[in-house]
């Protein structure tokens, strides 16, 4: 494949620097100075990779011309890998570029060696994607990378974001309640990334004793403290050329936050008790179940560390907001644990399905898996009942007033229907799609019910 690189920058010195610096690379170089010329050259040469300066003329504080060019390039060819190069040292610019489909971003001043590596990865990923067979159907899938299960609207949004961020090396912060599957998301990002052949190394920042956590991260030299009888590599070294997953990063002690920040800025560290600088190449994905904004306000989490690890932030929905995914997951866990439990159970009764759907699942996916596994052991039948689950079908706790004793059946149905619509709206924060899905109805039907009951948005 003939590799063509389009360089979009209005600065003649930068263009000459890149022309000279990339002359030894096996690329055909094409140059453009502004938006219109960039689009013209892009259509003419169909480059597989682009470097795009956000500060294109006419210059504005919000880099509108650069983002306009990015959107147009993505519209013409969604598969081309666009590396945004910017002098705007802003996390918001980087996040916006990635959200618009940029492969990666690079802050000026340009380091040619680092940029060369990024461009090579971009071409490599483009070629891998071209080798994949085209998808035969655009129908939504229920099973996704890393064994993720889900077909609800919130999970489709999460999966779309995973596919976007996986291709780049940007740091990602995954936020969500305990048990929502944050590590699974990190693993999916790794499996879809160019680093997938490298290791994925996990550190639970809240599970390691504070006096040992620095050694857990960076390793230690022999004799550096009592009991250090040999030199030990840390998790950071083991993650070289792969992904480092920092689970529960909100629990990290303040002194380690400073050292982690320094490491993330330079990718250089020293073992405990050592003096030699060691360098690694890792991608960092972090996760937390705490309110990170509140932690920054009360001073327990450094704001500069948040900006470093949270270039892109993914928010995982709790299970109670995932509608029909509850049943998909329950059936998945039934199949998963069938052999391990020696159970003859092959399905769920209708009252079990009703109970699964109506339960609020405060422990999220982890609670659901444990509930299904326990029920498989306890069931005396080939099907699991609500009693086996330890659940009974519930009425939503956020419904309004009780039905009047003298109400007709028609009036009672209408009142319950209205209350359920209002409750679904409340739980979804006014999101029509989520509310409709939670009730198992289509969006047009939901709008009909709003009109029928005079419910204002």
């Amino acid at each position: 494949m003939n590799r063509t690189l389009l360089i979009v920058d209005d600065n003649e010195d930068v263009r000459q620097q890149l022309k000279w610096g990339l002359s030894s690379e096996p690329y055909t170089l094409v140059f453009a100075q502004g938006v219109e010329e960039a689009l013209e050259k892009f259509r003419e040469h169909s480059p597989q990779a682009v470097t795009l300066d956000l500060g294109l003329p006419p210059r504005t504080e919000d880099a509108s011309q650069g983002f306009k060019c990015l959107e147009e390039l993505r519209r013409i060819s969604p598969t081309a890998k666009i590396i945004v190069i910017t002098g705007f040292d802003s996390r918001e610019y980087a996040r916006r570029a990635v959200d618009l489909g940029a492969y990666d971003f690079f802050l000026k001043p340009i380091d040619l060696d680092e940029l060369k590596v990024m461009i090579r990865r971009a071409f490599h990923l483009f070629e891998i994607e071209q080798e994949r067979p085209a998808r035969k159907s655009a129908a939504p899938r229920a099973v996704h990378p890393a064994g993720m299960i889900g077909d609800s609207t919130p999970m489709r949004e999460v999966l779309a974001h995973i596919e976007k961020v996986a291709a780049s090396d940007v740091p990602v912060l995954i936020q969500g309640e305990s048990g929502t599957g944050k590590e699974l998301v990190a693993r999916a990002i790794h499996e879809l990334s160019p680093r997938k052949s490298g290791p994925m190394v996990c550190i639970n920042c809240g599970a390691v004793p504070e006096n040992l956590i620095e050694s857990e991260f960076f390793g230690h030299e022999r004799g550096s403290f009592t009991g250090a009888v040999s030199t030990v590599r840390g998790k950071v070294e083991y993650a070289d050329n792969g992904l480092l997953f920092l689970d529960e990063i909100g629990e990290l002690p303040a002194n380690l936050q400073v050292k982690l920040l320094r490491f993330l800025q330079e990718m250089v560290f020293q073992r405990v008790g050592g003096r030699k600088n060691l360098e690694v190449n890792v991608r960092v994905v972090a996760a937390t179940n705490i309110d990170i904004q509140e932690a920054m306000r009360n001073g327990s989490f450094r704001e500069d560390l948040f900006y470093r690890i949270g270039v892109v932030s993914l928010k995982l929905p709790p299970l109670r907001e995932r509608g029909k995914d509850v049943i998909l997951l329950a059936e998945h866990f039934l199949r998963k644990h069938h052999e391990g439990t020696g159970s003859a159970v092959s399905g769920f009764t209708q009252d079990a399905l009703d109970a699964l759907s109506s339960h609020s699942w405060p422990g999220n996916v982890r609670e659901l898996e444990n509930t299904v596994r326990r029920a498989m052991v306890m069931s005396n039948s080939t099907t699991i009942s609500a009693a086996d689950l330890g659940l009974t079908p519930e009425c939503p706790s956020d419904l309004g007033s009780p039905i009047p004793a003298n109400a007709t059946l028609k009036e009672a149905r209408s009142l319950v229907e209205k209350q359920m619509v209002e409750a679904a709206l409340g739980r979804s924060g006014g999101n029509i799609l989520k509310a409709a899905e939670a009730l198992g109805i289509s969006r047009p039907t939901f709008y009909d019910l709003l009109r029928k009951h005079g419910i204002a948005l």
Side-chain angles (χ1 to χ4, degrees), residues 27 85 101-102 196 235 265 271-272 300 350 370 398 404 455-456:
Y27 314 139
I85 298 179
K196 63 182 179 181
K235 293 290 184 67
Q265 289 170 336
R271 297 189 186 117
V272 175
S300 62
Q350 186 57 52
N370 290 336
D398 51 354
I455 301 172

Side-chain angles (χ1 to χ4, degrees), residues 39 42 66 95 130 144 154 165 285 301 341 344 349 358 363 377 449:
L39 298 178
F42 192 77
R95 174 190 286 176
Q130 296 307 301
H144 305 275
V165 302
V285 174
F301 197 84
T341 59
T349 63
S358 62
V377 174
L449 291 174

